[in-house]
Amino acid sequence: MKLIRFGANGQEKPGVILNDKKYDVSAFGEDYTEQFFETDGVARLAAFIKDKQLPEIAAGARLGSPIVRPSKIVCIGLNYADHAKETNAPLPPEPVIFMKATTAIVGPNDNIVIPKNSVKTDWEVELAVVIGKKASYVDEANAMDYVAGYVLHNDVSEREFQLERNGTWDKGKGCDTFAPLGPFLATPDEIADPHNLRLWLKVNGQILQDGTTSNFIFNLPHLISYTSQFMTLLPGDIISTGTPAGVGLGMKPPFYLKPGDVVELGIDGLGESKQNVVAYA
């Protein structure tokens, strides 16, 4: 199943994609919240829509994040060897964890707003995993049982804030609009092998990132298990699994987003998104 949310910002309704058509399922009576995932919402929704005549969503309707704001976004840094190399970072012996503010979440085709005083706003295409049930001290052998689905994520990053302003990476990761998610959440049955997905990103039509999740340093069971040793993951929480080479920071010389730029990105089986870059006003 593919879950979407549509409508004006802050007024999104739940929907699904069936046979490449978008349908409104607001009559189900629930949005895609922590409680939805915690109470086996995907299975209940599948039962609800079976044999029903669902209203189609109007063409051109805005898509929001496919899940309601979760309790947290956990990000994994330097999880592709080529990305670590391009940023002159050593390969991590354990996963690098940082947090991204949930207020950064926007829809897949919403604008990226360059923050006030930013000069180094960057891009990162990533596979994000959505947690389906409460996870604490999970074994790797069982870790994939905790996955509700997968979603395309642009982990937008302000490199000066992240690396030159003292402290943790978080201050360069959580600015408003820095987490475009979607277009949809794909349940695990939609993705044959999450460890063999092509992911790519273009800026102004030029492909700058072109990688595959087969190049993870730490695979998904390890990331889920590892993260759950340090914090409880709640249903709907996101683990964003890192980015391949091709970010602005790694260019020679580095270059960054500016107003008027257009970012496009995609992952096999998870669709594509497009963000226009605008100045902070």
Side-chain angles (χ1 to χ4, degrees):
M1 188 178 295
K2 296 175 181 175
L3 307 183
I4 60 172
R5 296 173 67 247
F6 69 98
N9 189 13
Q11 301 175 35
E12 293 91 347
K13 297 178 181 180
V16 295
I17 299 176
L18 301 172
N19 299 318
D20 297 323
K21 292 186 177 180
K22 300 181 180 72
Y23 295 96
D24 182 343
V25 295
S26 53
F28 179 62
E30 296 178 42
D31 208 343
Y32 303 142
T33 62
E34 178 183 333
Q35 184 178 17
F36 170 84
F37 292 107
E38 187 173 31
T39 56
D40 204 16
V42 172
R44 292 187 295 104
L45 177 60
F48 171 81
I49 65 178
K50 190 176 182 181
D51 301 324
K52 275 196 171 56
Q53 289 291 110
L54 299 170
E56 280 196 52
I57 297 168
R62 173 189 173 269
L63 293 179
S65 163
I67 59 171
V68 178
R69 192 194 309 176
S71 82
K72 52 189 167 291
I73 304 172
V74 182
C75 295
I76 308 300
L78 306 174
N79 197 32
Y80 291 75
D82 57 358
H83 176 56
K85 182 179 179 180
E86 73 171 347
T87 58
N88 297 312
L91 293 184
E94 298 184 37
V96 174
I97 289 179
F98 62 91
M99 309 296 284
K100 195 172 184 84
T102 59
T103 48
I105 293 174
V106 290
N109 303 309
D110 290 344
N111 291 339
I112 293 171
V113 179
I114 294 181
K116 198 173 182 179
N117 302 316
S118 165
V119 294
K120 294 183 179 180
T121 293
D122 205 347
W123 56 85
E124 293 190 6
V125 59
E126 303 201 4
L127 171 67
V129 177
V130 180
I131 299 299
K133 57 185 179 180
K134 188 176 179 179
S136 180
Y137 298 105
V138 172
D139 292 332
E140 278 193 47
N142 302 315
M144 298 303 285
D145 296 339
Y146 290 79
V147 175
Y150 306 97
V151 65
L152 172 64
H153 175 215
N154 189 357
D155 176 22
V156 186
S157 308
E158 212 299 340
R159 301 303 189 185
E160 183 184 32
F161 298 176
Q162 176 190 354
L163 301 171
E164 302 173 38
R165 294 289 298 274
N166 199 25
T168 66
W169 288 7
D170 304 59
K171 66 177 72 173
K173 294 286 189 171
C175 304
D176 291 352
T177 75
F178 271 26
L181 291 174
F184 54 80
L185 178 153
T187 52
D189 57 296
E190 297 273 352
I191 303 297
D193 182 3
H195 295 99
N196 188 28
L197 300 176
R198 179 181 177 237
L199 62 172
W200 55 269
L201 182 143
K202 300 178 184 178
V203 178
N204 300 330
Q206 180 184 0
I207 287 196
L208 298 178
Q209 292 188 277
D210 193 355
T212 169
T213 57
S214 64
N215 289 331
F216 280 153
I217 296 172
F218 303 105
N219 67 17
L220 299 185
H222 185 83
L223 294 178
I224 294 166
S225 173
Y226 184 87
T227 304
S228 77
Q229 309 304 307
F230 302 99
M231 65 192 81
T232 296
L233 299 168
L234 298 178
D237 281 357
I238 290 170
I239 299 177
S240 198
T241 58
T243 198
V247 301
L249 175 66
M251 299 295 173
K252 294 180 177 28
F255 71 93
Y256 300 101
L257 296 173
K258 61 186 184 302
D261 287 344
V262 178
V263 182
E264 299 169 87
L265 57 152
I267 299 179
D268 289 349
L270 294 175
E272 300 179 8
S273 66
K274 179 179 179 179
Q275 298 101 41
N276 293 316
V277 181
V278 301
Y280 176 84

